[in-house]
Amino acid sequence: MARRIAAGAAYGGGSIGLLGAAAVGVLLAEVQLAKRQVGGGAAPVPPSADGRYGVAFAGPADPLRFGLLGDSTAAGQGVRRAGQTPGALLASGLAAVSERPVDLRNVAQPGARSDDLERQVSLLLADPARVPDVCVIMIGANDVTHRMPATQSVRCLTTAVRRLRTAGAEVVVGTCPDLGTIEPVYQPLRWMARRVSRQLAAAQTIGSVEQGGRTVSLGDLLGPEFEANPRELFGPDNYHPSAEGYATAAMALLPTLCAVLGLWPETDRLDGARREDMLPVAKAASQAAKEAGTEVTGARAPWALLKHRRRRRLPAPTEPHPHPEMHGETGGSTRVERRPGTGTGTGTDTGTDTSPRHA
């Protein structure tokens, strides 16, 4: 199914239905019930985390330019401090590993679907002199809840990845989270949401890898902890991640983000003990969708590497430092307007090693 969706996106196919009409009706009714139980999907407007991180590493090398695109999870909806957002966590981690300052620009929009990526990419590429070195895209949950055709969703994402790669930016995509991990979601919505989310995540992986990007499965990233301790890993609305939840997701993304920038040595050697393998891209995508934190990167077409990188502990959360290059000569903060919207929480499988070592 993921291959059919990706093929439809690439070759202009029509919508490929994932659920029958009756099932969709049940799904939508359950979604509305779930939203009422999480306070109408309301959450604090995410704080702006744009700015420079790792100022202590200032030196002759130019700062790394880091762009973040996507929906409410990329924006950091559900937390109140800039340093708790995934953008700030990843920028701080990149600065610590590279020992260079990192300039973060976050253009993510709460409530965004994949068709908003065209606007977000245009914002990031508006200044040819400030093209990001690397971008992270976190998108897909609202595509599912708003019934966007899967082929359209993947087409919008692959176009965004292609535009960024053509401009010279490396791209890491955090694929659609598992909507079945949200606490107020009951059966049969939980089963259907998990199935649709995984199908979309696998199709996103195929499309992104074929455009030269890498993907990390967010899946049920918070799943085991959520079952045991949902109040800790989800925010006040029980729908968006808490600070601890965002840190868990960022810890899964950071190793791939560092690898794509060459911040530590890459190797094609596969570790069988960690269930790493080289598979046809569609099979790798399907496998990754089932196990959160799994990286898929293109190898020799049509093959892809399936990796489970060791997670790196994040540095202590820091707040951004404004600077003239990003905020203009007046020193005032340039903030991307973010309208409150309905994104989703993500989830994680912490069976992966969380030691400071890396692969």
Side-chain angles (χ1 to χ4, degrees):
M1 176 61 77
R3 168 54 74 185
R4 288 176 58 202
I5 294 170
Y11 300 112
S15 171
I16 297 176
L18 301 181
L19 296 172
V24 168
V26 174
L27 176 64
L28 293 178
E30 291 277 7
V31 166
Q32 295 308 314
L33 176 62
K35 285 184 177 180
R36 286 197 294 271
Q37 294 195 20
V38 296
V45 175
S48 174
D50 286 8
R52 179 164 291 177
Y53 294 80
V55 293
F57 299 114
D62 292 335
L64 286 171
R65 294 187 294 273
F66 173 34
L68 194 58
L69 311 87
D71 55 22
S72 57
T73 52
Q77 192 165 15
V79 296
R80 298 184 181 277
R81 291 176 48 201
Q84 297 172 327
T85 62
L89 293 168
L90 290 171
S92 298
L94 277 178
V97 175
S98 65
E99 297 186 348
R100 289 170 59 185
V102 174
D103 290 346
L104 168 66
R105 188 177 182 199
N106 191 338
V107 296
Q109 173 68 54
R113 291 170 284 183
S114 293
D115 54 6
D116 190 53
L117 289 176
E118 181 179 2
R119 179 190 65 85
Q120 295 182 25
V121 171
S122 295
L123 286 174
L124 282 181
L125 301 183
D127 183 357
R130 302 293 302 166
V131 172
D133 297 300
V134 65
C135 293
V136 168
I137 303 175
M138 301 167 69
I139 200 79
N142 296 312
D143 297 11
V144 174
T145 58
H146 290 77
R147 293 191 295 167
M148 173 180 281
T151 51
Q152 180 186 356
S153 174
V154 174
R155 187 180 301 123
C156 291
L157 174 60
T158 54
T159 299
V161 173
R162 182 168 59 251
R163 288 181 64 192
L164 291 169
R165 293 288 293 133
T166 300
E170 299 289 348
V171 180
V172 176
V173 176
T175 56
C176 181
D178 185 348
L179 300 182
T181 62
I182 300 170
E183 186 180 28
V185 175
Y186 303 112
Q187 299 292 6
L189 175 61
R190 184 182 296 273
W191 177 84
M192 288 188 288
R194 173 163 287 128
R195 180 168 179 262
V196 175
S197 301
R198 286 183 176 181
Q199 287 178 348
L200 179 57
Q204 288 177 321
T205 296
I206 295 170
S208 299
V209 168
E210 289 179 346
Q211 297 301 323
R214 301 193 191 195
T215 64
V216 176
S217 169
L218 296 183
D220 60 345
L221 203 60
L222 301 178
E225 296 90 338
F226 175 64
E227 293 293 337
N229 206 357
R231 293 292 180 265
E232 179 180 342
L233 286 171
F234 275 72
D237 61 355
N238 296 330
Y239 197 61
H240 293 90
S242 65
E244 291 81 4
Y246 279 127
T248 303
M251 192 164 58
L253 286 163
L254 181 60
T256 300
L257 196 58
C258 292
V260 80
L261 287 171
L263 297 180
W264 53 54
E266 271 280 54
T267 176
D268 289 342
R269 184 177 59 85
L270 301 174
D271 188 342
R274 297 217 302 271
R275 304 177 311 285
E276 297 184 339
D277 204 351
M278 181 177 286
L279 300 169
V281 63
K283 289 187 176 181
S286 178
Q287 192 67 27
K290 298 175 183 177
E291 185 170 357
T294 304
E295 175 191 316
V296 178
T297 183
R300 295 179 296 276
W303 300 87
L305 293 174
L306 190 75
K307 290 193 173 186
H308 299 91
R309 295 186 182 275
R310 299 185 189 276
R311 297 182 192 171
R312 186 181 182 94
R313 294 190 183 279
L314 298 170
T318 58
E319 299 297 314
H321 292 262
H323 53 92
E325 286 185 3
M326 291 186 66
H327 302 300
E329 297 179 354
T330 62
S333 175
T334 301
R335 181 188 179 97
V336 177
E337 180 184 356
R338 295 196 177 114
R339 302 178 297 277
T342 55
T344 184
T346 57
T348 224
D349 180 358
T350 55
T352 307
D353 190 341
T354 57
S355 68
R357 298 172 297 163
H358 54 77

